[in-house]
Amino acid sequence: MNGWQPFSLMGLPVSPWRNGGGETREIISVPAGSANFDWRASIATIAQDGPFSVFPGIDRSITLLSGEGVHLLASPDIRHSLSRVGEPYSFRGEESVSARLHGGVTTDFNIMTRRTACRAKVISARQTLAVLPEHGGVIYVLSGDWQLPDGAQIGQGDGFYWTATLEINPVIVSTEHPDGLLLWASVITD
């Protein structure tokens, strides 16, 4: 579709974490190549307990994709169990958050936005989703084959991102798969 850039999880570049606790596959960073991004979307693998990186001025949203989950801890405000696939959780990047795995390795969808530039809204859908595309965003399929407005289909581990307002209003994506699950992350410029 016009303005949409496709990606596949297995085709994303892998960056190991400095603390050795996992790795990140970056989907998109805007502006591209800048350490001072306005927004960034990625898929991370958490392989062991440990601290998250601190990002002052950034709002974060994390959504469990696979695994038994992770307990997020930051004194005194954050004590959250991320244990349901497809359920986003948001927190401020200034928080010194530590992760404690519930079991084995997890994978998680992450979107970070610079508070002074934009904000993100992450929702999940199981059958049909109709949304007004904002100024940028990402869709990512966790399960099922999903049909896009132009008739194309995408499946598990595939997605699209865009960095400008789309011409299609609203965008409708749907599946007939009984266990279909898709994430939609909209980036809204204030």
Side-chain angles (χ1 to χ4, degrees):
M1 289 188 338
N2 189 23
W4 292 45
Q5 300 297 315
F7 70 89
S8 173
L9 174 62
M10 299 316 294
L12 296 172
V14 178
S15 300
W17 293 355
R18 284 176 281 194
N19 69 6
E23 62 188 26
T24 297
R25 294 174 183 262
E26 184 177 280
I27 298 168
I28 179 73
S29 184
V30 177
S34 174
N36 294 318
F37 57 82
D38 286 341
W39 67 276
R40 177 178 181 242
S42 63
I43 295 175
T45 300
I46 303 175
Q48 65 186 38
D49 298 348
F52 281 7
S53 296
V54 174
F55 288 92
I58 301 294
D59 289 324
R60 301 179 69 166
S61 176
I62 183 171
T63 306
L64 181 67
L65 300 178
S66 68
E68 293 178 41
V70 63
H71 196 74
L72 304 176
L73 301 166
S75 253
D77 299 328
I78 297 176
R79 296 196 181 297
H80 181 78
S81 180
L82 191 68
S83 57
R84 294 181 57 148
V85 170
E87 190 173 284
Y89 177 73
S90 298
F91 61 97
R92 296 169 62 87
E94 293 86 359
E95 300 282 351
S96 295
V97 175
S98 289
R100 189 175 69 234
L101 293 168
H102 290 177
V105 174
T106 69
T107 57
D108 309 277
F109 176 81
N110 297 282
I111 189 153
M112 296 189 279
T113 54
R114 185 164 308 284
R115 203 168 294 126
T116 57
C118 54
R119 58 190 164 88
K121 177 173 64 171
V122 181
I123 57 176
S124 60
R126 296 205 172 268
Q127 291 183 339
T128 299
L129 179 66
V131 294
L132 295 172
E134 301 292 348
H135 304 285
V138 177
I139 61 171
Y140 180 72
V141 176
L142 281 75
S143 60
D145 291 321
W146 289 76
Q147 185 166 335
L148 302 174
D150 66 354
Q153 286 200 340
I154 59 174
Q156 183 177 358
D158 294 330
F160 283 86
Y161 66 85
W162 61 98
T163 59
T165 302
L166 298 176
E167 297 172 8
I168 303 167
N169 276 319
V171 173
I172 300 172
V173 291
S174 62
T175 186
E176 294 182 9
H177 193 281
D179 296 320
L181 184 58
L182 171 134
L183 290 180
W184 179 288
S186 285
V187 175
I188 304 156
T189 303
D190 294 324

